[in-house]
Amino acid sequence: GAVVSQHPSRVICKSGTSVKIECRSLDFQATTMFWYRQFPKKSLMLMATSNEGSKATYEQGVEKDKFLINHASLTLSTLTVTSAHPEDSSFYICSADPGRRNTEAFFGQGTRLTVV
Amino acid sequence: AQSVTQLGSHVSVSEGALVLLRCNYSSSVPPYLFWYVQYPNQGLQLLLKYTTGATLVKGINGFEAEFKKSETSFHLTKPSAHMSDAAEYFCAVSDNNKLIFGAGTRLAVHP
């Protein structure tokens, strides 16, 4: 099956710093990638839809200046958490859409962000 | 707008017993439906999906689900639970390729 690599798997950062999370589709091109956030023992909440070569579309309530998304190529999207605070600590998961009919998006392994 | 409701945030079964995880959806268009499994601190793995065609869908690890339009349901079943099935399970509906997830059901399997 298709592989989506997310890096890093875990990161600890200090308050006020920025953290970049990468999402790569390893064996297919993805014009669309999705970023989700998962709170402890909660479901996944869609944060934004990332489209290659254009601005990301953010869901209501998600601060676009806080969570910067760049989809620079058909195989890479990045999420940067800027000026991180402890409340940004969470599990972030990306998915990449191959864009083929009846084919689901594939998920990365997730990134556990802890802001101290 | 599409939505998903998973009844029961926790389900506990004995090893070898039937697993039934419930999912109901709301959709204004014919839905694409998915079941994913998540192990601790990991991403999501697709168990199975329904797009069109046969309403009984078989997935990996012995799981299957049946799409029932009249009941707007897509319940996940497995005839005999294994200890390795203990995980979090998410039902999802596709909304223009975005996935709308249910709240999840944590499955515990005890000896």
Side-chain angles (χ1 to χ4, degrees):
Chain A
V3 178
V4 175
S5 176
Q6 193 173 334
H7 177 80
S9 58
R10 290 178 178 271
V11 58
I12 300 174
C13 71
K14 293 183 177 180
S15 289
T17 61
S18 296
V19 174
K20 180 184 286 188
I21 303 170
E22 293 187 348
C23 181
R24 293 180 185 273
S25 55
L26 297 185
D27 51 1
F28 66 97
Q29 293 183 332
T31 55
T32 305
M33 291 187 177
F34 302 92
W35 288 96
Y36 296 85
R37 181 173 180 176
Q38 186 177 30
F39 294 95
K41 299 183 179 180
K42 297 288 186 181
S43 188
L44 287 81
M45 302 299 295
L46 179 66
M47 298 174 66
T49 302
S50 168
N51 296 295
E52 188 268 337
S54 64
K55 292 183 178 180
T57 303
Y58 290 81
E59 296 299 304
Q60 189 174 8
V62 178
E63 300 176 59
K64 61 181 180 181
D65 295 329
K66 173 79 172 172
F67 300 99
L68 299 179
I69 292 173
N70 183 16
H71 196 150
S73 76
L74 287 172
T75 59
L76 174 64
S77 176
T78 60
L79 168 68
T80 301
V81 183
T82 62
S83 186
H85 290 282
E87 57 265 31
D88 298 325
S89 299
S90 194
F91 194 59
Y92 294 87
I93 307 176
C94 72
S95 71
D97 184 357
R100 296 189 296 273
R101 182 176 169 80
N102 291 347
T103 301
E104 70 282 4
F106 298 94
F107 283 83
Q109 308 94 313
T111 297
R112 171 72 61 192
L113 170 63
T114 303
V115 185
V116 298
Chain B
Q2 276 85 336
S3 66
V4 175
T5 302
Q6 288 184 242
L7 295 176
S9 58
H10 290 79
V11 171
S12 182
V13 300
S14 299
E15 190 173 19
L18 171 71
V19 175
L20 171 61
L21 305 183
R22 299 179 186 275
C23 172
N24 288 88
Y25 69 91
S26 172
S27 177
S28 57
V29 297
Y32 286 8
L33 295 160
F34 305 82
W35 274 100
Y36 286 88
V37 61
Q38 184 183 33
Y39 297 97
N41 289 313
Q42 294 188 27
L44 276 69
Q45 181 182 10
L46 181 69
L47 282 176
L48 49 80
K49 64 179 179 181
Y50 169 79
T51 53
T52 58
T55 56
L56 181 61
V57 180
K58 295 185 183 298
I60 63 171
N61 301 339
F63 285 93
E64 62 182 37
E66 186 172 10
F67 169 62
K68 292 187 176 180
K69 184 178 179 180
S70 61
E71 299 178 6
T72 61
S73 69
F74 191 57
H75 302 330
L76 181 71
T77 61
K78 181 174 180 176
S80 177
H82 192 272
M83 297 296 288
S84 61
D85 294 327
E88 187 89 19
Y89 292 80
F90 293 96
C91 182
V93 62
S94 178
D95 180 0
N96 286 327
N97 285 338
K98 295 187 297 185
L99 286 176
I100 309 300
F101 287 90
T105 298
R106 182 165 296 277
L107 174 66
V109 182
H110 50 85

